[in-house]
Amino acid sequence: MNLKKFTLSSLFAASALLAFPLQAQHSNEFYNNGALVHIEAGAEVHVWGDVHMRQSSGVLENNGLLKTQGNMYSDELFQQRGTGTTLIENSDVNVGERQFISGSYAVRGGTAQIGVNDGSFYNLELNNDQGIVYLVNSGAGATPQYVADVRGSVNFDPQGLGPTNATSIVTSDIGMVGAITYPANGSAYTAEFGMMNLAAGQGNYINDTWHQAGGDNMSVQDNGYIIGKHRRAINPAGGTYGYFIGLEPGAPVANNGTNRGFQYVHFVFGANNYDVLSGYFEAGSPNNTMGAATECSGYDMNDFWGDRHGEWMFDDINNVTNGGEYEIRVWPQDPTTPWTGTVWTISKDDVFAYPAPNPLHNDCGPAPTNLKRTGFEDFSAFGVLSGIVILESQITDLIATPINNRFIKVDWATSKEVNVDHFVIERSTDDANFIPITTHTAVGNSQITQNYSINDIAVLPNINYYYRVKTVNVDGTSEYTHSVVAALTKDGNVQTVNLFPNPISDGDATLEIVSTIDKESSITVYDAIGQLILSKEINVQQGLNTYSIKTNDWPSGIYYVHINSAQSSTVKELIKTE
């Protein structure tokens, strides 16, 4: 059946139109009991009541607009095709009522099933006047939890009226009558909303209100985010994928001090095979009384932020092992949490497995917002840890330098030493799993700078070697430095990259590349959510090369400058201030 423009205020069984007066009810319904329904480009179908899609022969080819004032139902067999839009809106009838999606409007499997075993929407627009569209797990079928997936984009505010009109998605069958209650943990949400568009970044989310500012972000109510469970298809080529997820709409609600609203996290992937990544936010278990672990350059990470904060829980649906390294970055939204601690880090797994952190936390930041950590593989629980300095001895100027392409020299210095016994030098090839390679006796007690070095000859060309130094005190306590990296190069290619001024408030940033060979390279710049800001090809000549990067039109934030060639790859972080 080809549909041009119809307003359906009657029972429609893919074959008949029956006239009824317009009224606020869910009985004026559109049934597709196994038929092929085609909405051509430019056409609109308006349904005053509910939409029902059923049977394996039931196919909706939507290349136009399907607008429903009621709810949407489907079974596990129904298929959906086309590049049109489905709008869920109760502006004419059913005003003031909740709307929901039930059944299996989903890609039933991984990314290989997109367009094959697929009941998903292409473009989905949400405009319920209550600010919420619910996903209801029907409890039937092989994968009933995946009740709503999108292959194109989801628009949280199709009228463009701002945050007060944005519509969040709740992935829980909370009941359509009576008082609304929300599970206190993401694991209790029974349905899941998916973004099956492989494109990285946030461009396929329209009019959402996630943000990455520091401080008390919940002083302004967040709208237009996923409440409960959210999954995303991941491009094998990589990119930045954000998850703006929470536990309850609106402002903070008491839950052991945990803010149950919006929490933001994103992942930066290189080449990978994770396919589909699923996540939710979980109120934390009490774990800040389990003792302390000395990590992050001599900081005592004794606050695991458990019962006051929580954990981000992630899993890839195919349970991929060694699917590729990635970076995680978080923006906790917790005004009820005291911002204490000298240093912060992201923990994986060990929020539940103390005192066996895996691995030690060497990516640290001065605040929990915009906090990152690199070198992860696989998925599970992620949390935020804070710490305070506990050791008086301090290592400065840790440097790793390739010498004549024969060995790597590791230099470090102490600004002072108090009861230090010795140092352990550790090496890694992935910046995560370190092994000791040698020890070095310390001066022990000193108030002046002491310099140390070792030569590592057990290295091969064209491999990145990461080094860190462990300070061991007389009483057995210890501390770690951050890591540094160096590599021997068989082909004689050595590249040094400098980027300044950094931070920059306005004008041009200067990029200096010193190379020992001529090579074709590229400069690409991405913002903090993975959107491409700049891309240009360059010819690097032997010696000093200088390039200008115009930042005048960039908003304040963090940017990543990639310098790539066939011989080398370097990433520099550039901070733009107001």
Side-chain angles (χ1 to χ4, degrees):
M1 166 172 275
N2 293 339
L3 297 179
K4 272 292 189 181
K5 184 170 183 178
F6 284 95
T7 296
L8 300 180
S9 58
S10 62
L11 181 67
F12 180 67
S15 61
L17 293 176
L18 305 174
F20 285 94
L22 303 184
Q23 52 187 308
Q25 59 180 2
H26 290 276
S27 59
N28 296 327
E29 300 180 333
F30 171 22
Y31 279 84
N32 180 359
N33 289 324
L36 168 62
V37 177
H38 177 78
I39 306 174
E40 59 187 55
E44 297 182 9
V45 174
H46 294 192
V47 182
W48 294 101
D50 301 334
V51 175
H52 300 258
M53 297 294 179
R54 299 173 176 172
Q55 302 183 28
S56 58
S57 59
V59 178
L60 173 62
E61 292 182 350
N62 180 11
N63 291 305
L65 172 67
L66 173 62
K67 174 182 175 181
T68 177
Q69 301 276 331
N71 303 317
M72 301 200 68
Y73 300 85
S74 78
D75 59 20
E76 186 76 6
L77 304 175
F78 161 72
Q79 301 289 296
Q80 193 161 209
R81 302 287 181 264
T83 57
T85 297
T86 300
L87 171 59
I88 298 177
E89 178 181 283
N90 60 341
S91 58
D92 297 317
V93 297
N94 303 314
V95 174
E97 293 190 14
R98 309 168 199 170
Q99 290 176 282
F100 60 87
I101 302 170
S102 175
S104 183
Y105 288 93
V107 176
R108 300 159 193 141
T111 55
Q113 296 299 312
I114 296 175
V116 178
N117 184 20
D118 195 342
S120 64
F121 301 99
Y122 188 75
N123 293 325
L124 180 63
E125 296 184 348
L126 308 171
N127 199 36
N128 179 271
D129 64 359
Q130 302 300 297
I132 294 290
V133 169
Y134 298 93
L135 305 188
V136 179
N137 185 344
S138 65
T143 55
Q145 69 273 27
Y146 302 137
V147 298
D149 284 336
V150 171
R151 290 172 284 127
S153 64
V154 55
N155 191 338
F156 293 90
D157 179 20
Q159 293 183 329
L161 299 179
T164 57
N165 287 80
T167 302
S168 293
I169 296 171
V170 176
T171 62
S172 181
D173 181 1
I174 52 90
M176 295 300 110
V177 296
I180 299 175
T181 58
Y182 298 91
N185 288 289
S187 57
Y189 287 74
T190 58
E192 189 159 9
F193 178 78
M195 175 56 69
M196 301 303 284
N197 187 332
L198 287 172
Q202 298 297 110
N204 37 20
Y205 301 87
I206 303 172
N207 292 319
D208 57 307
T209 58
W210 66 271
H211 48 242
Q212 301 174 1
D216 182 358
N217 289 341
M218 289 299 289
S219 59
V220 177
Q221 179 172 320
D222 286 290
N223 296 281
Y225 60 98
I226 312 301
I227 301 170
K229 295 178 180 177
H230 184 34
R231 68 175 187 162
R232 293 196 66 174
I234 308 298
N235 193 316
T240 299
Y241 291 82
Y243 287 77
F244 46 114
I245 49 182
L247 296 175
E248 181 167 325
V253 176
N255 180 39
N256 294 326
T258 301
N259 183 336
R260 288 161 60 190
F262 164 82
Q263 304 285 330
Y264 180 69
V265 62
H266 80 210
F267 298 93
V268 181
F269 295 98
N272 71 93
N273 59 354
Y274 288 115
D275 195 48
V276 179
L277 183 63
S278 176
Y280 55 88
F281 189 72
E282 192 87 345
S285 57
N287 52 16
N288 58 344
T289 59
M290 292 184 175
T294 304
E295 303 165 14
C296 279
S297 304
Y299 288 86
D300 178 14
M301 310 304 291
N302 64 350
D303 185 350
F304 284 74
W305 245 25
D307 57 344
R308 291 204 313 271
H309 178 70
E311 294 88 41
W312 289 269
M313 312 295 292
F314 286 93
D315 188 25
D316 58 276
I317 66 168
N318 291 332
N319 296 313
V320 175
T321 301
N322 301 322
E325 287 193 3
Y326 58 87
E327 169 192 306
I328 180 174
R329 192 180 288 262
V330 300
W331 284 263
Q333 315 287 295
D334 296 299
T336 60
T337 298
W339 304 102
T340 59
T342 307
V343 69
W344 303 81
T345 190
I346 297 171
S347 165
K348 180 176 182 291
D349 295 327
D350 56 356
V351 289
F352 299 120
Y354 183 85
N358 179 28
L360 294 177
H361 307 291
N362 293 296
D363 287 0
C364 295
T369 56
N370 196 19
L371 184 65
K372 74 172 182 178
R373 182 141 171 236
T374 58
F376 278 128
E377 268 194 315
D378 307 328
F379 290 91
S380 54
F382 299 85
V384 176
L385 287 75
S386 64
I388 56 174
V389 68
I390 59 171
L391 299 176
E392 296 185 62
S393 306
Q394 184 175 356
I395 290 182
T396 61
D397 299 328
L398 176 61
I399 302 170
T401 308
I403 304 297
N404 297 326
N405 275 327
R406 293 189 300 110
F407 61 90
I408 295 176
K409 183 182 181 185
V410 181
D411 295 276
W412 71 98
T414 58
S415 58
K416 71 174 190 176
E417 296 180 20
V418 178
N419 295 325
V420 178
D421 185 76
H422 65 278
F423 303 101
V424 179
I425 297 82
E426 298 183 355
R427 183 181 66 201
S428 170
T429 56
D430 60 6
D431 201 22
N433 299 294
F434 286 82
I435 59 172
I437 59 172
T438 189
T439 61
H440 197 296
T441 303
V443 170
N445 290 281
S446 173
Q447 296 299 315
I448 62 174
T449 299
Q450 301 291 335
N451 296 298
Y452 301 90
S453 69
I454 61 104
N455 294 331
D456 186 10
I457 62 174
V459 291
L460 298 173
N462 301 319
I463 297 176
N464 285 334
Y465 290 98
Y466 299 85
Y467 297 89
R468 68 185 184 191
V469 178
K470 177 182 180 181
T471 301
V472 181
N473 298 303
V474 173
D475 62 2
T477 58
S478 61
E479 60 178 323
Y480 281 91
T481 65
H482 61 285
S483 63
V484 294
V485 63
L488 306 183
T489 53
K490 182 181 291 184
D491 57 8
N493 168 48
V494 178
Q495 173 177 283
T496 303
V497 178
N498 295 310
L499 182 63
F500 60 90
N502 192 8
I504 186 171
S505 59
D506 205 357
D508 295 354
T510 299
L511 178 66
E512 289 185 348
I513 303 175
V514 180
S515 177
T516 57
I517 62 172
D518 296 343
K519 56 186 175 182
E520 295 182 356
S521 299
S522 66
I523 301 172
T524 53
V525 181
Y526 297 89
D527 65 12
I529 63 172
Q531 294 177 321
L532 181 65
I533 304 300
L534 171 69
S535 179
K536 64 185 299 185
E537 302 297 320
I538 58 174
N539 291 315
V540 174
Q541 306 296 316
Q542 182 179 3
L544 175 63
N545 302 260
T546 303
Y547 305 93
S548 293
I549 300 177
K550 297 185 181 300
T551 68
N552 302 58
D553 298 330
W554 297 3
S556 59
I558 296 177
Y559 297 85
Y560 301 97
V561 182
H562 296 246
I563 303 94
N564 295 320
S565 69
Q567 296 81 16
S568 62
S569 177
T570 303
V571 180
K572 290 285 187 179
E573 185 178 275
L574 178 64
I575 300 174
K576 175 70 182 297
T577 61
E578 295 181 353

